[in-house]
Amino acid sequence: MVEIDDASGLKGWADELISPASVEDFARILKEAAASQTKVTISGGGTGVTGGRCAEGGLLLSTSKLTQFNLDGMIGAGVPLTDLHARTRAAGLLYPPDPTEWTASLGGTIATNASGSRSFRFGSTRRWLEALTVAFIDGTVRTFHQGELYPHPYTPVTPPKTTKNTAGYYLPPGVSWVDLIAGSEGTLVVVLEAKLKLIPLPKEVVAGVVFFTKAEEALNTVERWRSIPALNMLEYIDANSLELLQLRYPEIPAGSRAALLIERDGSDVDPFLEADFMDESWFAASTADRDRFRKFRHTLPELVNERVRLNGFKKMGTDFAVPVAEFPRYWAQCVSTLEELFPSKYTAYGHIGDAHVHVNILPETEDDERRGQQWLRDEARRVLAHGGTLSAEHGLGRRKKWMLPLQYSDLTPFLQVKSQFDPEGRLNHGVLF
Ligand SMILES: Cc1cc2nc3c(=O)[nH]c(=O)nc-3n(C[C@H](O)[C@H](O)[C@H](O)COP(=O)(O)OP(=O)(O)OC[C@H]3O[C@@H](n4cnc5c(N)ncnc54)[C@H](O)[C@@H]3O)c2cc1C
């Protein structure tokens, strides 16, 4: 027996862990599993935050050895984002999706349709896929190019009017295989290889961590900065998060109560200058400084996850997003509830440009945890009342699958598609449904 977990803290187990090193080996093993009716769970980098890879028995198939790399052709699903970004950058190219945790595998980011900070301009992973080679649960392997339509009958599902959504399958009318598979959380096929759309690396980029003495000022600035052309990133960090970060970054200006992280192609900082931010804010144009800011941003979820784990609890964070026009009204109410229920025991940070800010409750007692769970359920309903989504980028996996029937009163369209791919429900059993 093998134990398995992921960044959510959930623990799972499998009868056996296999890491096939080729597409052919994946096909053979899946055929053998089909013959014995064995359940199969797929493991990528394990950075998922919803317990997706935390199997409940059966075979655990890891993509870690699928590391073939052809920049003009197929790239293996097991390639970590660190390698992908380093190799594209070295070739003068950019792969725009940028989920914060670079130990994630390419396949995992396709399975969750991951997004991250640059999605403000570039959208989520789905938009950057040209072709996918996948294995079906019976071991059949096929390659689909973007635009090849999914031929089976299905009932289209209208997604929320948020800029990102990864709750449930993507089912607009006339969906392509590639678009449907992206974000299906490993419940339809195993992603083995992908051909990616890459763009030229911008010659110049300015970046900043801009500090404010009042949260309101930062929030007003977000609304003004949204329309700045060529803005790649617009991220928020609240006062509680800055306090946590101060443990590692004592240079954070004293008195700052909120920060915005920005990144824009070009060298012109003028569009940012009218806002009322602190003089001690950090701006930079060099790659090294940008990487430093990136690390600063990355440290935050790490610190949050560590704090929750050390206190003996599992991650309790939201991945909610609302339509951009709804954000100011929604957020004012969300923060006032948090202040009332969990003063200084929560953090809020993330992709505010997409009206998608992650709230994490930092429970210190079992009572905090219980109240946190209740808040999560209540807040989910408020998000839906604002026309939002309960998962913008992480997926629902195992730990959040209870949210799917909250967001969609009828799961039949999803279950119908699931049964077209995997009639026995053996692939990533327990994920989503
Ligand atoms: C500190 C931190 C920051 C993060 N920041 C972001 C962020 O900014 N944006 C964002 O979107 N996410 C973020 N995440 C979440 C996580 O990195 C993403 O969900 C990522 O896409 C998971 O990839 P993985 O390879 O680690 O997948 P895993 O955790 O191994 O698996 C995730 C799910 O995908 C399935 N899966 C994995 N590989 C395949 C495959 N080849 N074929 C089919 N199914 C597969 C698994 O079965 C599981 O259901 C963050 C996580 C952490 C810990």
Side-chain angles (χ1 to χ4, degrees), residues 42 44-48 52 99-100 105 108-109 111-112 114-116 185-186 191 393-394 428:
I42 313 152
T47 70
T100 315
S105 67
T109 62
T112 56
S115 42
E185 300 194 45
V191 175
E393 64 177 8
H394 293 156
N428 270 14

Side-chain angles (χ1 to χ4, degrees), residues 156-200:
V157 175
T158 309
K161 290 190 173 51
T162 47
T163 62
K164 329 188 250 187
N165 172 44
T166 189
Y169 300 143
Y170 181 62
L171 287 174
V175 75
S176 69
W177 284 97
V178 169
D179 284 350
L180 171 59
I181 289 166
S184 61
E185 300 194 45
T187 59
L188 301 181
V189 291
V190 188
V191 175
L192 301 175
E193 297 179 324
K195 182 166 173 20
L196 305 175
K197 287 181 198 160
L198 303 171
I199 58 175

Side-chain angles (χ1 to χ4, degrees), residues 6-7 41-54 63 66 77-78 98-117 164 185-187 189-192 297-298 301-302 305 351 356 358 392-395 397-398 428 431:
D6 72 358
T41 302
I42 313 152
S43 170
T47 70
V49 287
T50 62
R53 76 164 188 175
C54 306
T63 58
L66 282 184
D98 187 23
T100 315
E101 179 51 65
W102 282 11
T103 57
S105 67
L106 174 61
T109 62
I110 294 169
T112 56
N113 188 30
S115 42
S117 53
K164 329 188 250 187
E185 300 194 45
T187 59
V189 291
V190 188
V191 175
L192 301 175
R297 163 71 177 81
H298 181 230
E302 275 183 341
N305 294 348
H351 322 299
H356 172 209
H358 299 293
E393 64 177 8
H394 293 156
R398 292 167 206 281
N428 270 14
V431 171

Side-chain angles (χ1 to χ4, degrees), residues 113-352:
N113 188 30
S115 42
S117 53
R118 284 201 295 248
S119 302
F120 173 65
R121 177 167 176 204
F122 295 111
S124 55
T125 298
R126 181 179 287 123
R127 201 195 285 179
W128 300 93
L129 303 174
E130 281 197 349
L132 294 178
T133 296
V134 302
F136 288 78
I137 185 68
D138 65 358
T140 311
V141 172
R142 285 189 63 185
T143 296
F144 297 112
H145 293 270
Q146 184 50 285
E148 274 181 64
L149 294 188
Y150 183 64
H152 304 293
Y154 67 91
T155 310
V157 175
T158 309
K161 290 190 173 51
T162 47
T163 62
K164 329 188 250 187
N165 172 44
T166 189
Y169 300 143
Y170 181 62
L171 287 174
V175 75
S176 69
W177 284 97
V178 169
D179 284 350
L180 171 59
I181 289 166
S184 61
E185 300 194 45
T187 59
L188 301 181
V189 291
V190 188
V191 175
L192 301 175
E193 297 179 324
K195 182 166 173 20
L196 305 175
K197 287 181 198 160
L198 303 171
I199 58 175
L201 204 57
K203 290 205 170 49
E204 289 177 311
V205 176
V206 283
V209 183
V210 183
F211 296 97
F212 296 82
T213 51
K214 290 193 186 112
E216 297 72 33
E217 193 54 51
L219 295 168
N220 292 337
T221 303
V222 166
E223 299 310 315
R224 285 207 297 280
W225 283 0
R226 256 184 227 291
S227 54
I228 292 177
L231 188 64
N232 300 333
M233 185 186 289
L234 186 51
E235 301 269 301
Y236 180 66
I237 302 183
D238 80 337
N240 293 341
S241 306
L242 286 175
E243 224 165 88
L244 254 188
L245 276 166
Q246 240 142 5
L247 300 172
R248 297 242 182 113
Y249 293 88
E251 64 271 35
I252 290 175
S256 51
R257 303 292 298 158
L260 296 177
L261 268 78
I262 46 166
E263 202 182 279
R264 178 174 190 252
D265 285 3
S267 56
D268 184 7
V269 289
D270 286 355
F272 300 109
L273 294 184
E274 271 186 27
D276 197 7
F277 53 77
M278 295 174 77
D279 292 343
E280 299 93 323
S281 295
W282 310 336
F283 284 96
S286 75
T287 310
D289 279 338
R290 282 207 314 278
D291 287 347
R292 202 161 52 82
F293 293 173
R294 191 176 190 290
K295 189 156 187 287
F296 175 77
R297 163 71 177 81
H298 181 230
T299 302
L300 183 50
E302 275 183 341
L303 285 173
V304 167
N305 294 348
E306 192 181 287
R307 168 73 62 97
V308 173
R309 224 179 10 248
L310 286 178
N311 284 347
F313 297 98
K314 290 198 187 71
K315 186 175 169 67
M316 200 189 300
T318 72
D319 186 28
F320 302 153
V322 295
V324 168
E326 287 288 314
F327 185 74
R329 209 158 57 91
Y330 162 70
W331 191 243
Q333 164 238 292
C334 179
V335 171
S336 106
T337 312
L338 286 166
E339 283 296 316
E340 190 188 322
L341 295 177
F342 306 103
S344 75
K345 287 188 187 174
Y346 74 93
T347 58
Y349 58 83
H351 322 299
I352 199 164

Side-chain angles (χ1 to χ4, degrees), residues 407-420:
Q407 183 158 332
Y408 299 99
S409 54
D410 181 11
L411 299 190
T412 320
F414 301 137
L415 291 165
Q416 185 190 17
V417 169
K418 170 70 176 169
S419 69
Q420 289 165 351

